[in-house]
Amino acid sequence: MTSTVAPPSPAAVAAGDLDFDALYRGARDDVFAYVATLLRDAAAAEDVTAAAFERAFRRRRGFDARRGSPRAWLFGIARNAALDELRRRKRSATLVGEPMDPATSTLEDEAELAMRRAAVRDALVRLDARDREIVALRFHAGLSGAEIAAVLGVSESNVGTRLHRALEKLRKEMSDDPR
Amino acid sequence: MTPAEPDLVELTRALEAERPAVTPRFAREMDAWADDGFRGRGPRVADREVKVHRPGRRWGGRLAFHLSGVATIALCAVVLFAVIGRSGGADESASSGSGDGGGGGSVAADERAAPQRSSESGPSTAFDSAGNQALPAPPRANLRLRRGRSVERSASLALATPPDELERVAAGVSRVTDQVGGYVARSAVDARSGSGTATFALRVPASRLTQALADLSDLASVRSRTQASVDITATLRGAAERLEEARAERRGLLRRLERAPDAPTRARLRTVGRRIAAAKAAVARADRRADLARVDVTLAGEPGAGSGAGGSARDDGRWTPGDALRDAARILEVVAGGALVALAVALPLMLLGGPLLLAGRHRTRRRREAALDAI
């Protein structure tokens, strides 16, 4: 995961122990990646990401460091926003025009690797939402096991188990893929 | 999680490589919003497909909070009006006499039932030794037996005022009596230099007795104040029963006269007629005793006596700073009392709202989780 932490702007907002501006700078891309994987819709992911940060900013004074890290708190808000979007739409969205990272596309120009990536992408789309979500939190958002547990409201051991099962399902999907 | 298998390692690398990336346009919009201190709504508000859907806030918690707030405000208003209304018409405790019917009566019920007839009565009327005024017979409708108890109320009030204000206060007694719809049955004023006395026998509607006593007390310094009530229900009912018996006998005599008129029947009829008149008069007297309360006022001119609580204000209609302070204190008392009662009501509502709020949040969380299973 690449995330550039820019120096705090003059308008940085700090509420209690929470430096919201620094949190935004460090987590924006991760939040988008998680939401986009969960929703499978880049346009909706942008909307949900903006809504998540808006909600988080409004609630920044309610952040309690004793209940978890700022990232876990933020991803909890983002998760709820994404689930609300799913409820509102009540349909499966297909990923539309997912943007490719220009930096990696130049490195992934071998055909075999491109096919491999396509297989991973398709398998990820076919995963059920709960499995896809935990994969997104771990590999796209870069959250730790403890943070994922805080976001999902489960134990860390449960996170490990679910993540392992999700990866097994991915491997099975990819092995079943004729490509 | 530490991937141990080579293909798992490759899978995780592939997953990381498939991480969706933010478009430069979206990044610029978000950064601009952040640079502005996150003021206002985030970027693309108008285009946002995502409705800020907070079902847990809309239902359950928010509804419970708003409902409890509205209920609290409504209850505060009701309590305030009830307290103000009750304090304005509250009666003081009265000592009940043994009466001739046994036991104290329901004074409040009789206050409601007492008709305002004092306006029909004239001023200063002669009294007999028993204190009963000579009034014309009341209309027939007032002879109906009252429901509930009938209570004769009386009060005595001893006031003191500086001798030079005796006549002014005496005039105030008459004015107050007129204002409550009563009349002065008897009065005597003896104004002397340095002292003086005045006595009044007032008749005021029983329903306005409390108001009359309050207004009279404001005229001068109160030295003593007593109230009494006598249950005259048995007296009134006895008179009404005698009246009905006499009427029934008269109806029988009239039927007998129609069949066979004779002199003894006619003589008996005349006797019964006199009995009916006497019974009517007895009922009317009992009614008047219940309708009108007797108030005896004695006024003494004392050099050291102060003015009444609202003497000058009442006399000339001015509203003094003292009146303002009293009114302000009274309002604060009422508000404090109302707030206390409202708090007693609001606390249970909040205790109810808490579980509602939790239930709403729990339902919202379940519905969100269900969205994951639906796709």
Side-chain angles (χ1 to χ4, degrees):
Chain A
M1 277 66 62
T2 57
S3 59
T4 304
V5 179
S9 70
V13 178
D17 295 327
L18 182 65
D19 186 345
F20 191 83
D21 186 81
L23 178 63
Y24 160 76
R25 305 283 175 187
R28 182 198 65 196
D29 293 356
D30 298 337
V31 170
F32 174 81
Y34 159 65
V35 174
T37 303
L38 180 60
L39 297 182
R40 298 177 296 182
D41 184 333
E46 289 183 350
D47 296 339
V48 172
T49 301
F53 278 102
E54 183 184 322
R55 279 190 204 179
F57 181 73
R58 276 204 304 272
R59 298 178 194 173
R60 63 193 186 282
R61 289 186 177 83
F63 168 71
D64 186 357
R66 293 170 297 183
R67 295 167 65 178
S69 69
R71 280 173 63 86
W73 170 78
L74 175 64
F75 273 88
I77 293 173
R79 181 173 189 261
N80 287 339
L83 294 181
D84 289 342
E85 168 65 6
L86 286 176
R87 289 180 59 199
R88 191 185 68 82
R89 291 161 64 185
K90 290 182 181 176
R91 59 180 171 85
S92 301
T94 55
L95 200 57
V96 177
E98 181 199 359
M100 296 293 295
D101 185 350
T104 58
S105 64
T106 57
L107 301 174
E108 305 293 341
D109 54 1
E110 296 183 17
E112 186 176 348
L113 282 173
M115 287 175 61
R116 179 85 172 153
R117 285 194 60 187
V120 169
R121 190 185 315 130
D122 292 343
L124 192 57
V125 168
R126 286 196 296 273
L127 270 186
D128 62 33
R130 291 189 184 276
D131 294 329
R132 190 168 65 250
E133 177 184 36
I134 199 166
V135 168
L137 285 170
R138 178 67 184 90
F139 297 106
H140 290 172
L143 295 186
S144 66
E147 290 173 333
I148 295 174
V151 172
L152 299 182
V154 298
S155 64
E156 281 191 57
S157 62
N158 189 270
V159 168
T161 303
R162 288 171 60 174
L163 191 57
H164 180 75
R165 286 181 187 160
L167 290 176
E168 287 301 316
K169 287 181 185 177
L170 263 180
R171 283 205 293 187
K172 186 178 185 307
E173 286 284 339
M174 290 171 64
S175 65
D176 292 344
D177 191 339
R179 274 182 287 188
Chain B
M1 175 185 152
T2 307
E5 304 171 18
D7 59 340
L8 201 56
V9 172
E10 188 182 344
L11 176 60
T12 57
R13 285 178 181 165
L15 283 172
E16 289 169 359
E18 282 303 304
R19 177 174 182 259
V22 174
T23 62
R25 174 190 54 78
F26 181 64
R28 280 195 303 273
E29 289 175 356
M30 290 293 287
D31 287 345
W33 180 50
D35 292 340
D36 195 34
F38 303 97
R39 274 201 291 261
R41 303 291 298 278
R44 300 174 60 204
V45 170
D47 301 333
R48 211 179 280 180
E49 286 186 26
V50 176
K51 302 297 184 291
V52 181
H53 181 66
R54 291 192 286 265
R57 289 277 184 91
R58 188 181 306 168
W59 304 106
R62 180 177 286 179
L63 184 63
F65 178 76
H66 286 165
L67 277 180
S68 63
V70 170
T72 302
I73 292 170
L75 277 165
C76 283
V78 168
V79 165
L80 274 173
F81 282 122
V83 169
I84 290 172
R86 192 172 57 201
S87 64
D91 194 7
E92 295 187 2
S93 60
S95 59
S96 297
S98 59
D100 51 6
S106 171
V107 176
D110 286 314
E111 284 191 356
R112 289 193 295 272
Q116 299 280 346
R117 287 199 278 125
S118 60
S119 58
E120 301 172 7
S121 306
S124 300
T125 308
F127 291 87
D128 59 13
S129 58
N132 297 320
Q133 65 276 17
L135 291 175
R140 188 185 179 86
N142 291 334
L143 295 180
R144 283 197 297 271
L145 185 63
R146 297 169 185 274
R147 290 186 180 178
R149 316 295 299 183
S150 295
V151 178
E152 180 181 27
R153 302 178 66 188
S154 61
S156 64
L157 192 61
L159 303 175
T161 188
D164 55 349
E165 293 190 2
L166 188 76
E167 291 190 6
R168 181 185 62 78
V169 174
V173 170
S174 298
R175 187 183 64 254
V176 166
T177 306
D178 287 340
Q179 285 174 349
V180 298
Y183 63 94
V184 179
R186 187 177 61 244
S187 67
V189 180
D190 180 10
R192 300 178 189 176
S193 174
S195 62
T197 60
T199 58
F200 302 88
L202 311 176
R203 298 290 182 271
V204 299
S207 60
R208 306 289 299 276
L209 177 60
T210 303
Q211 181 66 40
L213 290 176
D215 294 344
L216 289 169
S217 299
D218 285 342
L219 294 174
S221 298
V222 177
R223 290 290 181 257
S224 69
R225 175 172 164 168
T226 58
Q227 284 181 254
S229 63
V230 175
D231 192 326
I232 59 171
T233 305
T235 303
L236 179 57
R237 284 183 180 166
E241 286 168 1
R242 288 194 298 276
L243 178 60
E244 285 306 311
E245 288 170 2
R247 283 173 172 165
E249 185 178 356
R250 184 173 64 179
R251 286 193 291 272
L253 290 171
L254 287 173
R255 283 195 293 272
R256 192 189 302 176
L257 272 180
E258 285 178 6
R259 291 193 298 270
D262 58 9
T265 304
R266 289 196 187 91
R268 181 66 185 159
L269 196 59
R270 285 191 292 273
T271 304
V272 170
R274 286 192 290 273
R275 275 174 48 204
I276 288 173
K280 281 184 181 179
V283 169
R285 278 196 301 275
D287 267 346
R288 282 195 298 274
R289 288 172 66 187
D291 290 345
L292 289 176
R294 181 188 308 187
V295 180
D296 296 323
V297 179
T298 57
L299 181 61
E302 297 177 4
S307 298
S312 61
R314 279 200 185 277
D315 285 343
D316 56 15
R318 285 186 301 145
W319 191 53
T320 65
D323 295 329
L325 279 174
R326 274 196 306 280
D327 291 344
R330 182 63 189 148
I331 290 172
L332 286 175
E333 281 177 6
V334 171
V335 169
L340 204 59
V341 174
L343 185 63
V345 173
L347 273 176
L349 287 177
M350 286 192 284
L351 288 175
L352 280 176
L356 274 178
L357 180 66
L358 288 174
R361 286 182 177 172
H362 179 65
R363 185 173 61 178
T364 300
R365 186 179 179 84
R366 276 206 329 232
R367 288 183 174 178
R368 280 174 171 157
E369 296 295 328
L372 280 174
D373 299 323
I375 60 171

